[in-house]
Amino acid sequence: MKPSLSFIFAIVLAVVATPAQAQEVFDIYSDLQSCEVTVGGDAAGCRLRADLSSKEGLIQSRNLSLDGPGTWIVTWDVGGAEEGSYRACARLIRDGEVVSERCTSFYYGGRVDIRFDVRDAHADYRGMTLLVYSEDLAIVDIYYTLVRGNKAIYISKKESVPIAGSYGSPSDLSLPWKQLLENGQEYRGRVKIVEKRDGQTRAFMNSFVARDDAEITDTYQDETGASATVMGRSRVPFEGSLRFDLRQNGTLLSSVEEKTPILLAGDDETVEISWNETLDPGIYQLTIQLIGNDGDVLDLEESIIEAEIPPRPQTVEPAAEEDGSGTSTVVVVAVVIVMAVAAIVVIRRRRG
């Protein structure tokens, strides 16, 4: 049985009338330094407005144009904040209308007992450094976030992490970035720590400029050539070079520059070069420079080459024959003949 025309028309209307995935503010966290908002759904083209207020009224507002769903971070600039309660609200606005809203309240100032303490939290072009300790065992969730502009481009969550130790021996919860970074680009690194039992939350964030970085870890040099081992120290791909300058008495004799393999943090490679010919005996000065992506010198090693006079090859003279060797040979032959004659005489007598 074929479906009726009216039934098909009703299905078409239902499909057309089905709205796109709703835009929604899923989560919000704020303190007096920054506010973190997670948005889901078809948020492209929406505007996000974040407001910070106290009991006296609105303190600051931030507005962002969204290119889609994700986690967005804004910073507050509150000087001389007073102790008290504060409230942060995130509103998702499309065509002038608020389509989703979520708020959170927090208290600033006063003495608050915390289950854990942070000795160090710092982000750079390698990753996030995080040292945490707790006098009593605490269990936390940790969110490591890499931010470009106002949007999180990478979030790593570690769940149910135990924290113990002390100020002198904190737990090292550092994390290297998994994302490749762009040389010269500004980023922000953010870490948020949530205590599981009471929900106590602390967040730390700082800005940094990504740059290539590497170091010379080992060198070798002699009369025939030189080598250098280079180790990467950044999530910005290192695409630099090594320059070997050979001098004697201040005069530049040779300058050789070789590209290094592309290196990331923790990678190492050795580059070898040779002189045009073996160096003449004397004292030479060698300078090895590690040159970065932008032509800047990142590291330098200087050393001395003491070229020595090569030893002369030793000639082996044949051993001289001892005097009287011919006489000894004659004596041996004579003895053999006498013994043979004596044997013949004995045999003949026995037969007779």
Side-chain angles (χ1 to χ4, degrees):
M1 178 178 179
K2 295 182 179 180
S4 65
L5 184 61
S6 59
F7 179 73
I8 296 175
F9 184 67
I11 293 178
V12 172
L13 285 178
V15 172
V16 173
T18 300
Q21 186 181 9
Q23 308 87 22
E24 183 180 355
V25 177
F26 281 124
D27 193 25
I28 180 173
Y29 168 79
S30 184
D31 54 24
L32 283 184
Q33 283 72 48
S34 61
C35 180
E36 177 183 301
V37 181
T38 301
V39 176
D42 183 22
C46 291
R47 181 167 60 89
L48 177 65
R49 173 172 170 169
D51 295 330
L52 177 67
S53 58
S54 65
K55 60 183 180 180
E56 282 79 20
L58 180 67
I59 299 175
Q60 286 180 355
S61 290
R62 298 286 187 264
N63 287 277
L64 299 176
S65 297
L66 307 189
D67 58 3
T71 298
W72 305 81
I73 291 92
V74 299
T75 56
W76 307 123
D77 183 15
V78 181
E82 298 180 355
E83 179 181 344
S85 295
Y86 293 82
R87 184 175 177 83
C89 290
R91 297 176 176 88
L92 197 58
I93 302 171
R94 180 183 288 275
D95 299 328
E97 180 183 352
V98 176
V99 296
S100 180
E101 178 180 359
R102 191 175 291 269
C103 298
T104 183
S105 297
F106 60 94
Y107 192 87
Y108 172 78
R111 184 175 179 83
V112 180
D113 292 330
I114 56 177
R115 296 286 314 282
F116 62 91
D117 205 353
V118 177
R119 179 172 175 180
D120 189 22
H122 177 76
D124 60 16
Y125 48 79
R126 288 180 287 266
M128 174 67 69
T129 299
L130 180 62
L131 301 176
V132 188
Y133 66 94
S134 175
E135 294 183 358
D136 298 323
L137 180 64
I139 306 298
V140 301
D141 291 340
I142 306 176
Y143 299 81
Y144 304 85
T145 305
L146 180 64
V147 184
R148 183 171 181 171
N150 291 102
K151 187 176 184 180
I153 59 175
Y154 171 75
I155 300 177
S156 177
K157 179 182 179 182
K158 287 188 176 181
E159 297 186 88
S160 301
V161 179
I163 297 176
S166 62
Y167 181 85
S169 57
S171 300
D172 187 349
L173 302 174
S174 303
L175 182 80
W177 302 126
K178 303 294 181 64
Q179 193 92 359
L180 291 178
L181 306 182
E182 181 181 338
N183 196 33
Q185 178 66 46
E186 183 174 350
Y187 298 86
R188 284 181 287 177
R190 178 180 176 86
V191 62
K192 183 174 69 174
I193 310 169
V194 182
E195 200 272 327
K196 300 282 283 188
R197 190 180 72 178
D198 300 327
Q200 293 179 346
T201 303
R202 301 180 71 185
F204 302 86
M205 184 170 65
N206 69 275
S207 300
F208 65 92
V209 175
R211 61 180 179 87
D212 63 308
D213 194 16
E215 63 177 338
I216 299 172
T217 59
D218 191 26
T219 61
Y220 177 79
Q221 56 282 325
D222 61 16
E223 296 91 341
T224 62
S227 67
T229 300
V230 180
M231 175 172 286
R233 300 182 66 244
S234 173
R235 289 299 294 172
V236 174
F238 180 77
E239 302 178 62
S241 60
L242 283 163
R243 187 166 68 218
F244 300 79
D245 291 337
L246 182 69
R247 291 180 171 84
Q248 187 177 46
N249 299 324
T251 301
L252 181 64
L253 303 181
S254 177
S255 182
V256 181
E257 186 167 334
E258 290 285 343
K259 293 285 291 182
T260 67
I262 297 177
L263 301 173
L264 292 172
D267 298 339
D268 66 330
E269 292 286 349
T270 299
V271 176
E272 299 179 351
I273 60 104
S274 61
W275 315 125
N276 291 332
E277 57 185 14
T278 302
L279 300 179
D280 293 331
I283 304 298
Y284 299 82
Q285 297 79 40
L286 175 63
T287 301
I288 304 176
Q289 297 182 71
L290 182 62
I291 302 171
N293 297 4
D294 299 324
D296 50 334
V297 176
L298 301 182
D299 202 359
L300 180 146
E301 289 278 350
E302 293 184 324
S303 58
I304 295 295
I305 300 175
E306 185 175 0
E308 299 179 351
I309 300 175
R312 294 181 179 179
Q314 296 181 352
T315 58
V316 179
E317 297 182 357
E321 294 184 357
E322 296 182 0
D323 294 338
S325 60
T327 305
S328 299
T329 303
V330 172
V331 171
V332 172
V333 172
V335 171
V336 172
I337 294 173
V338 169
M339 291 178 66
V341 170
I344 293 172
V345 171
V346 172
I347 292 172
R348 286 180 178 180
R349 287 181 177 178
R350 287 180 180 177
R351 289 178 180 178

